Every structure is written in structure tokens, then in C-alpha cells.
Amino acid sequence: MTAGSVPGPRKDPEVAAALGRRRKRADRIVRALCVGSTLIGLAFLASILITLTYRGFTAMGPNVFTRVTAPPGSDGGLLNAIVGSLIQASLGTAIGTPIGMLVGTYLAEYARGSKFGNMVRFVSDILLSAPSILVGLFVYQILVLPFGGFSGWAGVVALAIIVIPVVVRTTEDMLTLIPNTLREAVIGLGSPKWKMIVFVCWKSAMSGIITGILLAIARVAGETAPLLFTSLGNNGWATDLTRPMASLPVAIYSMAGSPFEDWIALAWAGALLITLSVLALNILARTLLRGRK
């Protein structure tokens, strides 16, 4: 069959060649822009990581883990800030995780397509994307001002509020992936719905839910703004949650802007600790999620 016998407009070889050259030229330009943008982003990221690793490891020493924050020139450490961060992040996760799992379960199992469920999902999505400083201001208004001072409990509540929407989204998504045929089979055997959810759905989605919990911990581990308005910080040893409590992000914020070299070095060491902990949590979360797939 010749080109003239094909129905439709006749193909002009010269026009086709010109269009082909234009498409290839546009493709090369777009690819070059994409590769260049990627290299620029990687260069900035590598610069930050290299600087952080060099300055952090240079300042790292036994005193960082064995001594509390001391006045400049006194060879202090970050023990109080590390312990304070662990306490507040652990309690915040312990409070926020059950609430997030129950809300996510309700949205996935009981409120599909309902107006109230859509409203709860909308509020959860807003909390998920809201700046953390707004959470700090909210807790400041309801816990700090009425009770007359900063406290570790206020910091715990602020971190729990940040944890909740992350766990809600992950729990709902993981439960939604479970096929309805599995639910129907369990219900068909005479099992009540709550047993089906607890012993079948939660068990099947547990690795994904744990992944969401780890990602929530990684997020709250480096939050500074909400803690500035709630637990404030403490340069001494303090484990009393009714009083201001030290935390690693707030300690970094305070020390990085100081004019003293030893405090600036401690800030670099604290930043490296947070970076390594967040990196480890993200790697663990991705490993669990990959194992689920």
C-alpha cells in the first residue's frame, strides 16, 4: 500500500522530519533542565550533610551524653536535653497513637461515605498539613496560660496532637487496602465486627500502621516551635513534667544563636544526633513497608 492510497491527509516527509527534530530538541532541553535541577538539589543536600557530619562528629564526645547543660566554658553536655526529648516524644507518641489508630479505624470501617466521616477526615488532613507552631500556640492557650506556667505535660500534649493525624492517615490507608472479601469471610463465620477489626484487619495492616507510627516519631523528634510555647526548656536536670523541661530541638535553637564556641559546638552535636535518629527511623519505616509489600 502506497502513501497516496492511505485514507486521510497525506504525510509530508519534510514536515514530519521537522516535527521530529523539534520534538527531540524539546526533549533534550527538558531532560537537561531536569538533570540540572536534580544535581543542584543533590549538591545542596550533600553540602548540608557533609557540613553537619563534619561539625557534629568534631563536637561529639562523652560529655555530650554524660553531662547536663552547663554555663559557657564549663564543659557541659546535652544529657538533660536528650532525656527530656525522649520523655516528651515517648509520652506524646503513647498518647497520640491509640487516638490516631481508633480514629483511622472509625474512618475506614464505620464512616465510609458518611458526611461526619468526611468532616473528620478533612479536619485530620488540616492538622496533618498545619504548621507546628500553630499547635504550640493552641496548647499555650489551653494549658500554659490557664495553669500559670510552662510544663513538660504541655509539650507532651503538643507532640501528641502532631502525632495523631499522621497515625490517622496511615491507619485508614492501610485498612482500606484490605480486601472486603476478607471481611465478608470473617463476618460470614459468625464473628462480631469488632473481633474482625482487631484480630484480622489490624493484624493484616499492623506493619503499615507501625510504619506510620515510626514516621510520626521521626516528625516530632525534631519539632522546635511547639516546644518553645509549651515546655520552653531547662538548662538543668529536670524530669518533673509539671515544670519546664529541656528538649534537644530547643537546646539546639538556643545554643546555635549564642556567641560561645562551646555552645555552638554542642548545637552541632545535637543536630547530628537528631539527624541520625530521624534517618534511622525513616530507614526502619521503609524497611517495614517494603517487607509488607
Side-chain angles (χ1 to χ4, degrees), residues 9-159:
R10 184 175 181 180
K11 182 177 178 180
D12 191 334
E14 295 183 0
V15 174
L19 290 175
R21 288 193 297 268
R22 190 171 67 179
R23 293 191 187 99
K24 290 180 180 179
R25 185 166 55 250
D27 179 69
R28 294 191 190 99
I29 293 173
V30 172
R31 286 192 180 188
L33 291 175
C34 292
V35 173
S37 301
T38 302
L39 292 177
I40 292 173
L42 290 176
F44 280 115
L45 179 61
S47 175
I48 293 172
L49 292 178
I50 291 172
T51 304
L52 177 61
T53 303
Y54 173 74
R55 298 291 295 272
F57 274 116
T58 302
M60 197 73 68
N63 292 340
V64 174
F65 304 97
T66 58
R67 296 188 179 183
V68 299
T69 304
S74 301
D75 201 17
L78 295 172
L79 177 61
N80 56 327
I82 295 173
V83 173
S85 286
L86 290 175
I87 292 174
Q88 294 178 80
S90 300
L91 290 177
T93 305
I95 295 173
T97 296
I99 298 174
M101 286 185 61
L102 292 175
V103 174
T105 302
Y106 171 77
L107 294 177
E109 301 294 338
Y110 294 97
R112 292 189 182 184
S114 66
K115 293 182 179 180
F116 181 73
N118 292 334
M119 182 181 67
V120 173
R121 189 178 296 107
F122 177 72
V123 173
S124 176
D125 291 341
I126 291 177
L127 284 176
L128 186 62
S129 58
S132 59
I133 192 171
L134 297 181
V135 176
L137 287 171
F138 170 73
V139 178
Y140 178 81
Q141 290 291 330
I142 65 172
L143 289 181
V144 176
L145 287 181
F147 292 95
F150 301 96
S151 66
W153 280 118
V156 169
V157 172
L159 296 182

Side-chain angles (χ1 to χ4, degrees), residues 69 80-81 231-239 243-247 250:
T69 304
N80 56 327
S231 60
L232 185 63
N234 193 336
N235 287 336
W237 177 262
T239 56
R243 302 179 61 187
M245 179 175 287
S247 60
V250 175

Side-chain angles (χ1 to χ4, degrees), residues 211-232:
T211 300
I213 296 172
L214 292 175
L215 293 176
I217 296 174
R219 179 179 176 183
V220 301
E223 289 291 349
T224 305
L227 298 181
L228 284 173
F229 290 95
T230 52
S231 60
L232 185 63

